[in-house]
Amino acid sequence: QARLAPPAAAVTTQFGVPGLKAAMELLGYCGGYPRLPLLPLSPEQHGSLQTIFRNAGVLEAAPALPQVSDS
């Protein structure tokens, strides 16, 4: 429960409904866009939300892209 407190706080108090929708997308669900007058998270906010979820162990670090040879 303590591990999930930071993501829960980010979604409910820091980023609100746009954060909830972004979190759903991060976890593979269809979050969609918030209705006006709310706006989607900015790229900086989205990155912050990803970091919070990753630090809590909810998201795995993105795997490295495979190397492509020129041959």
Side-chain angles (χ1 to χ4, degrees), residues 7-40:
V11 168
T12 58
T13 59
Q14 186 175 358
F15 297 115
V17 171
L20 173 63
K21 292 183 170 286
M24 290 176 63
E25 295 283 343
L26 285 174
L27 297 173
Y29 297 98
C30 181
Y33 293 100
R35 287 195 275 177
L36 294 174
L38 300 176
L39 299 174

